[in-house]
Amino acid sequence: QVQLVESGGGSVQAGGSLRLSCAQSGYIHSSYCMGWFRQAPGKEREGVAVVCPGGLNTLIADSVKGRFTVSRDKSYVLYLEMTSLKPEDTAMYYCAATPPRSAGFGSYYLQPKEFAFWGQGIQVIVSS
């Protein structure tokens, strides 16, 4: 059983920064990919950033590229550094984890359906 708990959300003005963290309990194997997803009201959940084992196995959605950075420490705590926030970044942000897929690393990992375990989510509100 994998449990994921997000923290660090809140309200910020446009142009500001936030850092989200995702702590895990249970069993996450070193081979698992972890990622951040978000869902705005009335919209589908979308991938924001994913990190898989290996030096350069990181995906960042085009909508946040250059502004958001994803990282994971040795304790499998996942981080999302968000800078230059925009009102359109307002959403519920979710942490997720999944065993690796046999197809290998690829952009498909930005699809929510590829992830098996989910946190409860945390709200991020960016005001203009």
Side-chain angles (χ1 to χ4, degrees):
Q1 184 78 16
V2 173
Q3 292 183 322
L4 303 168
V5 179
E6 302 93 342
S7 62
S11 297
V12 64
Q13 289 191 327
S17 301
L18 281 174
R19 186 195 199 202
L20 303 184
S21 299
C22 173
Q24 64 87 18
S25 61
Y27 178 78
I28 284 192
H29 192 269
S30 58
S31 64
Y32 280 28
C33 293
M34 296 182 73
W36 290 99
F37 296 80
R38 68 185 182 184
Q39 188 166 17
K43 294 188 177 181
E44 294 186 353
R45 192 170 298 189
E46 63 176 357
V48 175
V50 171
V51 59
C52 295
L56 298 176
N57 289 342
T58 301
L59 293 168
I60 302 289
D62 288 342
S63 59
V64 303
K65 198 166 291 183
R67 300 188 297 121
F68 290 13
T69 304
V70 64
S71 62
R72 184 169 76 178
D73 68 18
K74 294 180 179 180
S75 300
Y76 305 112
V77 177
L78 186 70
Y79 301 98
L80 185 68
E81 297 278 358
M82 305 186 293
T83 64
S84 301
L85 282 161
K86 304 176 181 179
E88 51 263 45
D89 295 318
T90 295
M92 188 72 78
Y93 283 72
Y94 297 89
C95 174
T98 195
R101 298 295 185 240
S102 59
F105 183 74
S107 59
Y108 64 90
Y109 271 113
L110 281 174
Q111 299 176 35
K113 66 182 180 68
E114 298 296 332
F115 279 73
F117 306 104
W118 292 86
Q120 292 298 307
I122 194 162
Q123 186 71 52
V124 171
I125 298 173
V126 184
S127 57
S128 57

